[in-house]
Amino acid sequence: MSSSTDIAARRRAFRQLHETGCFVIPNPWDVGSAKYLEKLGFQALATTSSGVAWRHGKADGQMTVDEVLVHLREMAEATNLPVNADFEGGHAQDAEGVARNVRRAIDTGVAGISIEDSTGDANAPLRDVATSVQRMRAARRAIDESGTETMLVGRAENFIVGRPDLDDAIARLKAYSEAGADCLYAPGVKTREQIEAVVKAVAPKPVNLLIGFPTELTLADAKALGVRRISVGGALARSAWGGFMRTAQQIAGEGRFDGFAQAASGLELNQLMRGG
């Protein structure tokens, strides 16, 4: 169990990471993957709603708030690193519910909380801006009342819910910034022009860039574009699933076991989990 002093120090360090430069904040899906990413030297981690849902045999968006809070606590306690919570839409229909759940998320020890504006309804995938701003303000109020340095991340989901309108996404991000978001995030923007436009629009506040796909963009490229942090969403979990699925399909379909050539070393994994 982390002490309140440890948690406060992580939150302070997390804020400082956003002040200059650009860092990668990868997304583990369980305690073991979090431990490995810490061993590799990353400075912060972020949860992934899709990755943890698949871990529990559910689709993204099907986790209950209580299940998510259990996961956030175990992730915050798994490593010595700050953890940003993918908290979806706050797991509530109204602003007061968002505030209530954000307070509960803060209590898990996370260093940042992301709130998005998607609805889960394919016919109307985005909440209107006024409603989304109200919810962001509620999250901001909950953090302020907690007396902690927990960061609030405002997400405009246009590009991943089938509404790839850059102007609308930017307008939303600017509104979320004014409502108190500390960091802004439009998952799904990919081109240099899109990224530059988002960075310029919300400056001087930091921007998170999602890279969960093959791309020629590097960390150095993102830094040059003004991005402060890069997350990978469910891509690491999908990569793990990809290896598992290919090997399992080969066994089932061909009776072959070649896929195990790419398997991790059991000795190495045991050493990692023992803290070696």
Side-chain angles (χ1 to χ4, degrees):
M1 178 72 69
S2 301
S3 71
S4 58
T5 302
D6 290 338
I7 292 171
R10 291 185 205 177
R11 287 171 173 158
R12 192 169 304 113
F14 193 49
R15 280 192 172 273
Q16 291 171 349
L17 280 174
H18 292 77
E19 292 175 1
T20 59
C22 183
F23 67 100
V24 178
I25 180 168
N27 304 70
W29 61 94
D30 63 7
V31 167
S33 55
K35 288 178 178 291
Y36 185 66
L37 292 170
E38 180 178 25
K39 182 179 180 181
L40 290 179
F42 290 103
Q43 297 172 284
L45 305 175
T47 65
T48 160
S49 64
S50 58
V52 68
W54 301 328
R55 169 190 161 194
H56 286 86
K58 298 185 177 186
D60 192 11
Q62 288 189 330
M63 295 279 286
T64 68
V65 65
D66 288 334
E67 290 172 329
V68 170
L69 290 167
V70 168
H71 176 65
L72 295 184
R73 187 175 297 279
E74 76 173 1
M75 296 299 275
E77 294 178 355
T79 80
N80 295 310
L81 300 178
V83 174
N84 191 99
D86 178 349
F87 210 45
E88 301 178 64
H91 298 277
Q93 292 303 313
D94 61 0
E96 285 309 309
V98 171
R100 181 170 58 251
N101 289 337
V102 166
R103 285 192 289 269
R104 297 176 70 192
I106 292 169
D107 289 341
T108 68
V110 296
I113 298 174
S114 297
I115 299 292
E116 62 192 51
D117 55 12
S118 61
T119 65
D121 180 354
N123 295 317
L126 292 170
R127 290 187 171 86
D128 64 79
V129 176
T131 299
S132 298
V133 165
Q134 184 181 35
R135 295 162 66 85
M136 198 65 61
R137 284 177 177 156
R140 177 77 266 163
R141 184 175 70 251
I143 292 173
D144 291 345
E145 290 174 352
S146 75
T148 71
E149 294 187 70
T150 307
M151 288 191 70
L152 176 61
V153 182
R155 295 179 42 151
E157 303 294 286
N158 301 65
F159 282 79
I160 60 173
V161 299
R163 299 292 188 273
D165 183 332
L166 182 61
D167 289 340
D168 184 62
I170 286 175
R172 287 170 177 271
L173 293 180
K174 291 173 73 172
Y176 304 158
S177 176
E178 292 171 3
D182 300 299
C183 177
L184 290 309
Y185 182 14
V189 297
K190 294 182 177 181
T191 70
R192 292 173 183 269
E193 293 75 20
Q194 291 171 340
I195 296 166
E196 285 181 320
V198 169
V199 169
K200 180 179 179 180
V202 302
K205 289 192 176 178
V207 167
N208 184 100
L209 175 65
L210 173 68
I211 301 183
F213 49 88
T215 178
E216 294 182 355
L217 281 176
T218 65
L219 174 60
D221 293 331
K223 180 179 179 180
L225 292 170
V227 171
R228 286 289 171 80
R229 75 183 208 189
I230 300 171
S231 59
V232 300
L236 285 174
R238 289 189 289 106
S239 296
W241 271 97
F244 160 71
M245 292 169 73
R246 285 189 296 274
T247 301
Q249 288 165 8
Q250 184 187 57
I251 295 169
E254 304 173 34
R256 295 168 57 87
F257 303 87
D258 302 10
F260 290 141
Q262 302 298 318
S265 160
L267 177 63
E268 182 180 357
L269 288 172
N270 284 331
Q271 288 176 337
L272 170 69
M273 302 312 169
R274 290 192 192 104

